[in-house]
Amino acid sequence: MTREEVFVKLNEIFQDVFDDEDINVNDATTAADVDGWDSLEHINLLVAIERGFGIRFTMGETTGLKNVGEMVDKIMAHLG
Amino acid sequence: MSLVSAAFLAFVAITAIIYYLVPGGARRWILLIASLAFCASCGFYSLVFVLLEAVTTFIGGLLCGPDKKKGLRNVSAIITVILNLGILCAVRYYGVIGMFEESLNQVLAASPATKTFMTYVLPVGMAFYTLQLIGYTLDVRWEKTAPEKNFFRYLLFATYFPYFTSGPMNSYADLSVKLDGSKNAKFSFDRLRDSAIRIAWGFFKKLVIADRIAIIVNNIYGNHETYTGLYVFIGAAAFAIELYADFSGCMDVVLGASHFLGIDLPENFNSPFLSHTIREYWQRWHITLGGWLRDYLFYPLLRTPAFIKIGDVSKKLLGKKKGKKIPVDVALIILWAAVGYWHGGLMKYVIGTGLLHCFYIILGEIVEPVSVKLRKVLHSDKLPYKIFQTARTFFLVMLGHIFFRAVNVPDAIEMYKAIFRPFAINGEWIASLGLDTSNWIVLFASLAVLIAVDIYKYREKQEEAPRLVLEKIASKPLVVSWAVFMLLFIAVLVFGMYGLGYDSGAFIYARI
């Protein structure tokens, strides 16, 4: 999967989790840019990403992510 | 050794003098020796259990490291967690330490003096200690931190004496960096002044407020057949204040002592009784416990297959928006039951500090649509509404505290019933609460100071607000800031509750 393909799929997951079809994430997107992205919704988002991509994050990977770009890096690493 | 005692102050002072005199590289050893000495002062068997947990979690951490096979890492983590929770339960609920004492007394045919010593062998702070070490094990397994390979470095993290008995809880990643930084810490009079003020403030809260108001609490809770109606509320409100002044005062002493050594620990309280909602209250009360339960219980639970399945089913049945709240609410019930159980393992705690708060939060979510409309009508941005919210939150917390302070659940129910019995407010009854006029004046004056400081911190709306008060005092001329310390010091000496049989060590949370 290319980085672009990951972004397309990830964007669909964001739109589904936050119930907002206008969301368009990029490398620099942070929690402050998405309405309702609090720590609890972050867990729902991670679960949806794991299911969507068929991967499993460690708990250590789920904290300290600075932006969506870093999240994509983690997904790419799991997809190998 | 009690945190509120001249012995503890002398202990901190001697440790600090040696600490600042030795070369930076040796300071960790000074802290470790002081910490082990402090643990030993809590009792020989406490030290044994402390070392047992430290050794098992240290080995568990090594076996959980990323260089090991996944199966071994999982098994090691599970065994380490179960073993240490088992030790905690054995110590707290099954009197294992008491059994040891009994057999030792029989073997030694202990003299009365030895028996008196043994009476004080209590595993203080075991709950904080165990949770913190379990947190380390899970951090290693989840690759949040690398396993510590040096046992003595790890032992210092585990037993660091300022927080050993009552917290605040720390993650290994955070505290190890701070302990490493001790080699560069420099003594300064500014540091001494800030620490002295913080410790004196803690002594003030404990000895002038908590131990004075405890007299009223003990009278009302001990005689709730006499003290009915409004007196039950007075007792419950007084206990809420006692608990806050007691525990947050303890934290002030801990943080002040550690600051003197150049190691700043996380804040545990931030004006909790000014919160507008129960959710906000728990973001301001016992902050590090809340963080621990969130990171090591609540979030991991939500990511388990069982909770994901609950979410799937509830979304199908209730729709996406409502359905996704169900697994969160189920996890909340488990979380709050754990909070209550942690406070003492009795049903009165599970209800009063756990499930009742969970009920408040879930009920708040259910009535949220109505609340939104109500807030618009009632001008929620105005001060009167905010005062109403603060009073409502305090009242709800206070109701839970009736369970917390009562002897057991039936006793708490009797107190609730007593609310509806007739009562009379008059001078005699108020005097019978245990305080004379001058003590009432001291209590109200000291409460006014506490409330003023809390309002100042709350208005700052920052996570580190408690430190801002010190910064504010420090920004004043030297004479003023030392005068603040002297005022607190004199207030503690003159108005502190000292008397026969008085035990300043009996912090409510240190018994947990």
Side-chain angles (χ1 to χ4, degrees):
Chain A
M1 224 174 186
T2 65
R3 196 174 171 83
E4 285 71 30
E5 287 169 333
V6 169
F7 256 109
V8 171
K9 193 163 184 175
L10 186 63
N11 205 53
E12 287 171 8
I13 293 170
F14 264 85
Q15 291 179 349
D16 183 50
V17 169
F18 294 103
D19 223 4
D20 181 356
E21 290 183 1
D22 294 331
I23 290 178
N24 206 351
V25 294
N26 57 48
D27 274 310
T29 304
T30 65
D33 302 318
V34 179
D35 202 22
W37 189 356
D38 54 21
S39 54
L40 190 57
E41 212 57 65
H42 185 66
I43 300 294
N44 288 330
L45 179 65
L46 291 171
V47 169
I49 292 171
E50 286 177 339
R51 184 178 279 185
F53 286 95
I55 59 173
R56 180 79 178 161
F57 293 119
T58 66
M59 285 301 289
E61 286 175 316
T62 62
T63 52
L65 294 171
K66 289 191 180 72
N67 51 38
V68 172
E70 286 192 7
M71 188 180 268
V72 172
D73 292 340
K74 296 278 182 200
I75 295 170
M76 297 285 290
H78 276 276
L79 292 174
Chain B
M1 189 187 305
S2 164
L3 294 180
V4 177
S5 66
F8 180 72
L9 292 183
F11 183 80
V12 172
I14 292 166
T15 304
I17 289 168
I18 301 169
Y19 175 85
Y20 282 115
L21 283 176
V22 299
R27 286 182 182 164
R28 293 184 65 99
W29 289 102
I30 300 300
L31 290 182
L32 181 59
I33 292 165
S35 298
L36 292 176
F38 185 80
C39 291
S41 80
C42 296
F44 175 71
Y45 289 110
S46 291
L47 185 62
V48 169
F49 280 94
V50 161
L51 289 175
L52 182 64
E53 290 201 0
V55 169
T56 52
T57 50
F58 175 73
I59 295 170
L62 289 176
L63 296 175
C64 289
D67 55 329
K68 300 289 184 296
K69 286 185 179 169
K70 195 178 173 187
L72 175 65
R73 296 172 65 196
N74 287 340
V75 170
S76 306
I78 291 167
I79 289 177
T80 308
V81 170
I82 291 174
L83 181 67
N84 283 280
L85 283 179
I87 293 171
L88 176 65
C89 288
V91 169
R92 286 180 71 180
Y93 308 122
Y94 300 105
V96 169
I97 285 184
M99 279 158 50
F100 274 109
E101 289 162 23
E102 191 66 27
S103 33
L104 191 74
N105 279 344
Q106 284 171 1
V107 170
L108 299 175
S111 66
T114 315
K115 278 182 181 162
T116 308
F117 168 74
M118 288 296 178
T119 310
Y120 292 98
V121 178
L122 289 169
V124 287
M126 285 294 279
F128 294 99
Y129 181 74
T130 306
L131 287 194
Q132 182 159 292
L133 298 197
I134 286 174
Y136 163 76
T137 307
L138 294 175
D139 278 350
V140 174
R141 173 61 195 90
W142 293 336
E143 297 177 31
K144 284 184 179 176
T145 192
E148 175 56 65
K149 300 221 161 69
N150 182 325
F151 178 68
F152 295 107
R153 282 173 62 90
Y154 180 71
L155 191 59
L156 176 57
F157 157 74
T159 59
Y160 179 54
F161 77 90
Y163 69 53
F164 172 69
T165 55
S166 306
M169 289 181 193
N170 292 265
S171 72
Y172 184 75
D174 288 342
L175 193 69
S176 60
V177 172
K178 290 175 185 172
L179 291 171
D180 281 343
S182 66
K183 62 176 177 276
N184 301 319
K186 287 190 169 55
F187 172 81
S188 73
F189 282 102
D190 284 352
R191 188 185 291 282
L192 173 64
R193 174 201 56 205
D194 291 350
S195 303
I197 292 174
R198 188 82 197 250
I199 291 171
W201 180 232
F203 271 56
F204 179 83
K205 282 201 253 184
K206 169 68 177 159
L207 294 175
V208 180
I209 300 176
D211 288 348
R212 181 167 273 104
I213 209 165
I215 294 169
I216 300 170
V217 174
N218 294 341
N219 263 323
I220 294 178
Y221 278 83
N223 304 288
H224 54 72
E225 286 175 4
T226 312
Y227 295 106
T228 53
L230 186 63
Y231 285 100
V232 179
F233 287 119
I234 293 173
F239 178 62
I241 295 165
E242 182 199 347
L243 193 61
Y244 173 50
D246 183 285
F247 192 15
S248 69
C250 172
M251 284 299 107
D252 287 320
V253 175
V254 168
L255 269 68
S258 192
H259 179 72
F260 190 32
L261 299 166
I263 296 162
D264 284 323
L265 299 174
E267 295 290 341
N268 229 0
F269 292 91
N270 192 2
S271 309
F273 287 143
L274 295 176
S275 304
H276 291 166
T277 63
I278 290 291
R279 205 179 274 276
E280 186 188 355
Y281 168 79
W282 279 101
Q283 288 163 356
R284 294 172 172 277
W285 174 277
H286 211 166
I287 299 165
T288 57
L289 173 68
W292 193 98
L293 289 164
R294 182 194 62 217
D295 293 343
Y296 300 107
L297 180 65
F298 185 62
Y299 288 166
L301 262 183
L302 288 175
R303 293 187 65 213
T304 57
F307 276 77
I308 293 170
K309 184 77 183 166
I310 292 171
D312 289 344
V313 173
S314 55
K315 276 180 206 166
K316 271 184 198 163
L317 293 173
L318 301 168
K320 195 174 156 190
K321 206 169 182 179
K322 284 183 183 169
K324 72 177 180 183
K325 285 187 176 172
I326 300 298
V328 175
D329 289 345
V330 175
L332 273 177
I333 292 170
I334 295 172
L335 172 85
W336 286 106
V339 170
Y341 191 73
W342 181 87
H343 275 88
L346 299 172
M347 192 47 74
K348 63 170 189 159
Y349 295 117
V350 175
I351 296 172
T353 57
L355 295 178
L356 189 64
H357 287 256
C358 180
F359 170 73
Y360 292 152
I361 289 172
I362 294 177
L363 186 67
E365 280 175 6
I366 293 169
V367 301
E368 180 62 13
V370 182
S371 302
V372 169
K373 286 177 189 165
L374 205 62
R375 283 200 290 268
K376 277 183 187 166
V377 177
L378 294 173
H379 303 287
S380 61
D381 53 331
K382 298 275 188 338
L383 185 64
Y385 188 79
K386 288 178 178 168
I387 292 172
F388 158 72
Q389 283 182 306
T390 298
R392 179 192 60 190
T393 306
F394 182 79
F395 181 76
L396 293 175
V397 172
M398 193 184 81
L399 286 182
H401 280 152
I402 291 180
F403 276 104
F404 192 122
R405 178 60 178 76
V407 178
N408 49 33
V409 174
D411 194 51
I413 292 169
E414 281 305 311
M415 289 205 66
Y416 283 114
K417 284 182 187 168
I419 292 171
F420 302 101
R421 293 201 193 109
F423 67 98
I425 292 277
N426 56 47
E428 268 180 41
W429 277 46
I430 290 171
S432 73
L433 289 176
L435 297 183
D436 57 21
T437 309
S438 58
N439 272 302
W440 277 107
I441 292 169
V442 172
L443 180 61
F444 279 118
S446 52
L447 278 177
V449 175
L450 177 64
I451 292 167
V453 170
D454 270 15
I455 289 174
Y456 174 78
K457 287 189 297 186
Y458 191 83
R459 286 160 65 103
E460 294 297 326
K461 293 192 183 301
Q462 290 188 28
E463 283 182 10
E464 293 296 307
R467 294 195 206 284
L468 292 178
V469 180
L470 276 176
E471 284 172 18
K472 184 81 178 173
I473 295 168
S475 69
K476 303 289 178 198
L478 207 60
V479 178
V480 176
S481 52
W482 276 108
V484 171
F485 167 72
M486 286 310 294
L487 271 176
L488 283 170
F489 183 68
I490 292 166
V492 169
L493 284 185
V494 176
F495 302 120
M497 296 298 286
Y498 311 96
L500 285 175
Y502 174 72
D503 176 14
S504 64
F507 277 114
I508 294 170
Y509 266 74
R511 296 171 216 154
I512 287 168

